[in-house]
């Protein structure tokens, strides 16, 4: 093994969260000590540019692959489970909307004027819906090249359905392999995050001082507060309505057995084996949970819906776009659908923020700055998001199966 390979292996063997934390502290110290060292900021620009380049491709291949490989005829339990997954994700988005209106936050963004003209965002639900209809039918190749996430989602769904109904299994597998390849590239980009964060924090601190972290603190509190509200109040309420029994023992079991592990892995996909082991421990049907758990890692994205919604509304507040409550609720629907295509890698939901921002006429350059801020606070935000998402997969899988058993006993 050559020297470069040994250095790379040593670097990647250290926890990504620890590396990001070190990069954050280093950037803050350098920003205070040597604010004139402008070349450090280049690291942040490279990181943001890499994210901007790969994000549209990632969204496209993930959505196409997910739809193409979806199973048919999953039965009553799966119908119930999918409905619960989507309902929970939408409620999480609504929590984020309400929280953002009650406790609005703004961000420290540069070059705002280049991304959006002040006050010219969509101000009504009808305008947002019109933008959706006209934007979604754009050229799919141009959509990926120009980061037009509305059109990316639309054409990815169409292509996924077409592959599912006409293509051979081998072709579908090729598409799935392509999504794995792109996800691997995203992982490589995220390995650069500590240096990118160092450059971004250096730029922010050298220009604005440490006071900027007060804004990030408010943003983080809003994100975590919305996620915990959904997990500890609304998810148990859904389970109680389905089962008519105290849901908290089951919830706390899932949080302890699954959520704790997911907090550190920061990947719903990586937590799939842990959730399956938990379902086996709870004596659930293996034929059911062997499909429901991977499905949940794709479409049960409460935390992702919160992240997408809160960030989009925070960016709108920052650039001066007047968003009505009705338009924000419509954003919640879009965030719910977008969250279902969020990548299972760490920070995957952050890459869908530009899609949500585009509904209010906010340019990709501005939106990707918000994504970069997301990585700065991601040591906490993404860990909690993944823990709540992944534990929810097991929680709702158990809820759906217990309801099916209850129905059979009543019959």
């Amino acid at each position: 093994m050559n020297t470069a390979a040994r250095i790379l292996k040593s670097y990647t063997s250290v926890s990504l969260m620890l590396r990001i934390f070190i990069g954050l502290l280093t950037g803050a110290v350098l920003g205070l000590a040597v604010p004139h060292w402008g070349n450090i900021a280049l690291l942040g620009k490279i990181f943001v540019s890499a994210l901007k380049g790969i994000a549209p491709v990632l969204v496209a291949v993930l959505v196409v692959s997910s739809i193409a490989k979806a199973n048919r005829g999953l039965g009553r339990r799966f119908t119930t489970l999918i409905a619960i997954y989507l309902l929970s994700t939408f409620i999480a988005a609504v929590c984020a909307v309400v929280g953002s209106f009650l406790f609005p936050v703004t961000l420290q963004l540069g070059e705002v004027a280049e991304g959006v003209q002040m006050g010219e965002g969509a101000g009504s639900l009808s305008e947002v819906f019109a933008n959706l209809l006209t934007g979604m039918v754009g050229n799919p190749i141009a959509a990926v090249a120009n980061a037009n996430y509305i059109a990316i989602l639309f054409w990815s769904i169409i292509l996924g359905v077409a592959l599912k109904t006409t293509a051979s299994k081998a072709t579908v597998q090729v598409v799935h392999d392509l999504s794995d390849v792109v996800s691997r590239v995203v992982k490589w980009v995220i390995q650069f995050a500590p240096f990118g964060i160092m450059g971004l924090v250096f730029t922010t601190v050298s220009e604005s001082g440490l006071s900027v972290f007060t804004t990030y603190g408010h943003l983080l509190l809003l994100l975590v507060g919305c996620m915990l509200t959904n997990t500890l109040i609304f998810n148990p309420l859904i389970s109680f309505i389905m089962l008519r029994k105290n849901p908290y023992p089951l919830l706390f079991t899932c949080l302890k057995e699954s959520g704790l592990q997911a907090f550190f892995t920061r990947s719903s996909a990586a937590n799939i084996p842990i959730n399956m082991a938990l379902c086996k421990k709870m004596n659930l049907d293996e034929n059911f949970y062997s499909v429901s758990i991977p499905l949940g890692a794709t479409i049960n994205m409460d935390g992702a819906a919160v992240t997408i919604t809160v960030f989009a509304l925070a960016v709108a507040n920052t650039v001066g776009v007047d968003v009505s409550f009705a338009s924000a609720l419509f954003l919640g629907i879009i965030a719910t659908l977008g969250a279902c295509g969020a990548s299972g890698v760490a920070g995957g939901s952050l890459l869908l923020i530009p899609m949500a921002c585009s509904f209010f006429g906010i340019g990709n350059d501005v939106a990707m700055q918000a994504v970069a801020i997301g990585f700065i606070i991601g040591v906490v935000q993404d860990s909690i998001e993944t823990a709540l998402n992944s534990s929810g997969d097991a929680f709702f899988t158990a809820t759906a199966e217990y309801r099916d058993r209850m129905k059979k006993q009543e019959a």
Side-chain angles (χ1 to χ4, degrees), residues 154-373:
F154 175 76
W155 289 116
S156 295
I157 291 172
I158 297 297
L159 289 172
V161 172
L163 280 170
K164 183 179 180 65
T165 55
T166 62
S168 65
K169 291 184 178 180
T171 301
V172 173
Q173 185 60 42
V174 169
V175 175
H176 180 68
D177 291 342
L178 178 61
S179 72
D180 288 343
V181 169
V182 177
S183 295
R184 177 62 62 86
V185 173
V186 171
K187 291 181 180 179
W188 290 344
V189 172
I190 291 177
Q191 290 299 323
F192 182 72
F195 297 100
I197 295 304
M198 182 178 70
L200 292 166
V201 173
F202 171 84
T203 301
T204 301
V205 173
S206 63
E207 293 178 355
S208 305
L210 290 176
S211 61
V212 71
F213 289 104
T214 302
T215 300
Y216 293 160
H218 292 164
L219 175 64
L220 186 58
L221 286 174
L222 177 59
L223 287 164
V224 175
C226 291
M227 292 178 195
L228 290 176
T229 297
N230 191 69
T231 298
L232 299 178
I233 297 177
F234 291 107
N235 284 357
L237 180 60
I238 292 173
S239 182
F240 175 76
I241 293 173
M242 303 291 290
L243 302 178
R244 299 296 179 182
K245 60 184 294 186
N246 181 6
Y248 286 98
L250 175 62
L251 175 67
F252 292 142
T253 296
C254 293
L255 287 173
K256 182 181 70 173
E257 299 286 341
S258 172
L260 186 62
Q261 299 283 346
F263 182 89
F264 293 104
T265 64
R266 297 178 63 205
S267 170
S268 295
N271 214 49
I272 286 176
I274 295 170
N275 272 342
M276 286 190 172
L278 174 58
C279 289
K280 183 176 182 179
K281 185 176 179 180
M282 293 189 294
N283 295 316
L284 303 183
D285 181 4
E286 184 175 0
N287 292 327
F288 179 50
Y289 70 72
S290 63
V291 178
S292 69
I293 293 300
L295 181 66
T298 302
I299 69 173
N300 182 40
M301 290 291 180
D302 298 3
V306 169
T307 297
I308 294 167
T309 303
V310 167
F311 267 97
L313 292 176
V315 173
N317 290 337
T318 302
V319 302
V321 175
D322 184 19
V323 181
S324 68
F325 188 75
S327 296
L329 286 178
F330 185 75
L331 170 66
I333 298 175
I334 301 305
T336 299
L337 298 176
C340 293
S343 170
V345 302
S349 63
L350 297 174
L351 300 180
L352 295 175
I353 293 171
M355 176 197 69
C357 289
S358 68
F359 285 93
F360 300 122
I362 299 172
N364 193 51
D365 289 342
V366 172
M368 290 309 297
Q369 292 180 57
V371 174
I373 291 174

Side-chain angles (χ1 to χ4, degrees), residues 67-85:
I67 293 176
K69 288 185 70 68
N71 292 288
R72 298 178 178 177
L74 296 176
R76 182 172 61 186
R77 282 179 295 180
F78 283 101
T79 301
T80 300
L81 184 64
I82 291 172
I84 294 175
Y85 279 162

Side-chain angles (χ1 to χ4, degrees), residues 40-55:
I40 299 176
L42 181 62
L43 295 173
K45 293 180 180 179
I46 293 173
F47 180 58
V48 172
S49 295
L51 289 176
K52 287 169 62 176
I54 196 61

